[in-house]
Amino acid sequence: MNRITRTIASTLALAVASGVLVIGAPAAGAQTLNDSYASPTLLPSQTTGQVAGTNLGATLEIGEPSLGGNGGSSVHYSIVAPASGPLRVSTAGSTYDTQLGIGTGDSAASLVLLAENDDANDSLQSEVAIDAVQGQTYRIVVDGYAAAQGDFSLSWNLAAAGSTNDSFASPTLLPPDMAGQITGNNIGATHEVDEHQVAAVGGASVHYAITAPVTGTLALSTAGSDYDTALGAGQGASAAELVIAAENDDVDDVRTSAINIPVVEGQTYRVIVDGYQGAQGNFNLSWAFTAAPIVNPEPDVDAQFLSLVNQARSEARFCGAQHMPAVAPLVTDPVLIAASMAHSVDMATNNFFDHAGSNGSSPWDRAAAAGTTANSENIIAGSAEVADAVQGWLNSPGHCMNIMKADATRVGVALASNPASQFTNYWTMMTGA
C-alpha cells in the first residue's frame, strides 16, 4: 500500500517550497526571425488562430512604410485567406504599446496598407479589419508606438460565413477535458427570439456545449478577448428553456468575464459568449473543472476511528524509541471534526499534502476558525480504509505520540476523497485538551 504521512505538534513548524518552470518569449536582444519583410512568418491558412511573438531588436527597412508615421521596430507575417469575408487581426494581450497594419505587396517598398491602427478598444493594443478575398496573400506588420518593443500576442479571425454557432440549436461542442481553451468570434452573431440576454447586456451571442467529466465546479473565462464580453452558462433543451446558473459582464475591473457553476458528472451544460450591448469581436474561452471531494464516504468513519484509536491508547507502547504509557480514551468532538474536515477537503480539492493550508493557515488557525483549540494534528494520504490510516500513524513515531498524548481528551477525524488529485484520499486527525 502506498501512502504518505506527516505529523505536527504545538512546537513543530513546517514549510514546503516548490519550483516552477516558465517558458516564454525570447530574451531581450534575441534576433527576431521575421524582422525582414522578405522572410515573414507564415501563419496557417485557417479562419482563426493565435500566435505569440516579439519585436525585440527588430528594425524598420529602407522603403518600408512606418505605421502611424512613428513605427520603427516591425516584424512581418503572411497569411493566405482561406475564404472571403471580414478578417480581423488583433494584438490584444500584448505587453507593450503596439501598432498593427495589414496590406498586400511583394516587397516592403511596394506594400499597400489596407488598414492600420495604433490603439483599439481603449487599450494600448491594436486591431485592424479588412474584407479578405479567398486565396489572396495578406501581409501583417506588428510594430510599436514610437518604435516600442516587447512581447505580443497576434490573433486573427475570418468570419467567412458568420458565426457557425450563432444558433442555440447548433452549438460548438467543447471536448470534455478537465481544462482547455479555444478562440472564437461573435462577429455577425444575433440574439434569438426568446433567448436569455446574458447579464442583461448581451445581443450578439454564440453558443457552446460541454459535458462535465466530474461532479464539482466548472470555471469559465473570456480573459484575453479583444472586446467587452458577456458570459453565461446553464442548462436547457432550447433557448427559451435555458436556465442560467451564472452570468457576468465585467470581472476585476476589466471588460472580460468569468463565472463558476456547480456541475454533475455526465450532464451537459450550455455556455454563451456575448458582448456588452451587442459588442462583437474575437474572444478567448477557457474552462476548468474542479472535482468535488467526497467527504467521509463510509457513514461510520467516526465510530470506527474512535474505536481503533481508543484501543491503541488503552495499551502502553513504544512510539519509535519513546515509551508511551496507556492513557484515557478520547471522546469525539464535532468541532474538531469540522476543523479536520476543512483541511482534508482543502487538500483533496487543491491537490496538495501539507499541514499548511492552501491559504497558509496552520492547524491552530483552523481550530480557532472552527471555534476551539487543538494540541496536535496528523495527516495521511493514500488509503480510504480507517484501519490503514490509524495503523499508518501508529507506525510513525511522531504520529504515534500524537495519538498517545496524555493531555488529549477530544478528537476529530475526517476523510476527503478526490480521484482527480495525486493521492485520492486525504485524512486529517486533530486532538485537543
Side-chain angles (χ1 to χ4, degrees):
M1 174 186 65
N2 294 324
R3 67 169 170 262
I4 181 167
T5 64
R6 287 190 184 163
T7 180
I8 188 166
S10 301
T11 58
L12 178 63
L14 177 65
V16 175
S18 62
V20 178
L21 175 64
V22 178
I23 301 175
Q31 179 64 44
T32 51
L33 300 179
N34 55 348
D35 183 17
S36 169
Y37 189 92
S39 302
T41 296
L42 303 180
L43 299 176
S45 182
Q46 57 192 41
T47 57
T48 185
Q50 184 174 359
V51 297
T54 181
N55 71 334
L56 294 173
T59 59
L60 189 72
E61 297 180 45
I62 296 175
E64 179 183 350
S66 175
L67 296 182
N70 59 17
S73 300
S74 58
V75 290
H76 301 274
Y77 293 84
S78 176
I79 187 170
V80 177
S84 296
L87 173 62
R88 288 176 179 262
V89 184
S90 171
T91 59
S94 301
T95 63
Y96 70 102
D97 190 349
T98 62
Q99 293 199 96
L100 183 63
I102 186 170
T104 59
D106 295 330
S107 67
S110 65
L111 175 64
V112 177
L113 287 171
L114 302 174
E116 57 183 311
N117 176 254
D118 176 16
D119 298 336
N121 302 314
D122 298 323
S123 73
L124 295 179
Q125 277 74 63
S126 317
E127 180 177 300
V128 294
I130 63 169
D131 289 324
V133 177
Q134 184 175 9
Q136 174 69 53
T137 298
Y138 294 93
R139 302 300 295 267
I140 298 170
V141 184
V142 182
D143 208 325
Y145 178 79
Q149 299 184 9
D151 301 322
F152 59 80
S153 174
L154 179 65
S155 63
W156 70 97
N157 198 292
L158 177 64
S163 304
T164 58
N165 55 347
D166 184 16
S167 170
F168 186 93
S170 301
T172 296
L173 302 180
L174 300 175
D177 299 331
M178 288 296 291
Q181 178 174 313
I182 62 165
T183 59
N185 79 89
N186 70 334
I187 299 168
T190 59
H191 191 72
E192 297 179 48
V193 176
D194 296 327
E195 180 182 348
H196 176 81
Q197 188 181 38
V198 176
V201 297
S205 57
V206 290
H207 300 272
Y208 295 86
I210 188 167
T211 300
V214 294
T215 294
T217 303
L218 169 60
L220 296 156
S221 172
T222 60
S225 302
D226 66 11
Y227 73 102
D228 191 345
T229 63
L231 180 64
Q235 289 182 288
S238 68
E241 297 171 314
L242 179 67
V243 176
I244 290 289
E247 55 191 328
N248 175 252
D249 175 19
D250 297 335
V251 64
D252 296 332
D253 297 322
V254 298
R255 300 188 308 161
T256 55
S257 317
I259 57 175
N260 292 277
I261 65 169
V263 294
V264 176
E265 182 178 357
Q267 293 194 15
T268 298
Y269 297 83
R270 302 301 295 268
V271 180
I272 304 175
V273 181
D274 209 321
Y276 177 75
Q277 295 183 343
Q280 301 182 16
N282 303 305
F283 59 78
N284 293 327
L285 176 62
S286 62
W287 70 93
F289 288 95
T290 300
I294 302 170
V295 176
N296 285 359
E298 297 296 330
D300 58 346
V301 162
D302 295 328
Q304 291 182 55
F305 172 80
L306 189 65
S307 174
L308 290 171
V309 165
N310 282 336
Q311 180 181 340
R313 288 172 63 89
S314 70
E315 303 171 357
R317 68 183 58 246
F318 279 92
C319 295
Q322 180 67 45
H323 180 264
M324 304 295 290
V327 287
L330 300 173
V331 297
T332 298
D333 182 352
V335 183
L336 282 178
I337 290 175
S340 298
M341 183 61 67
H343 192 50
S344 288
V345 168
D346 188 17
M347 290 189 291
T349 300
N350 296 299
N351 195 21
F352 73 96
F353 182 74
D354 204 299
H355 287 287
S358 62
N359 62 354
S361 64
S362 70
W364 333 127
D365 295 330
R366 293 188 289 274
T372 189
T373 59
N375 58 16
S376 78
E377 179 182 84
N378 284 355
I379 58 175
I380 190 169
S383 175
E385 298 297 324
V386 179
D388 289 340
V390 173
Q391 191 60 52
W393 284 327
L394 290 174
N395 290 342
S396 171
H399 298 87
C400 176
M401 286 188 281
N402 280 347
I403 289 177
M404 301 297 293
K405 286 177 73 72
D407 60 350
T409 63
R410 302 171 292 122
V411 69
V413 70
L415 165 65
S417 302
N418 180 2
S421 62
Q422 182 178 3
F423 299 115
T424 303
N425 302 298
Y426 299 79
W427 292 87
T428 303
M429 181 198 84
M430 300 183 78
T431 62

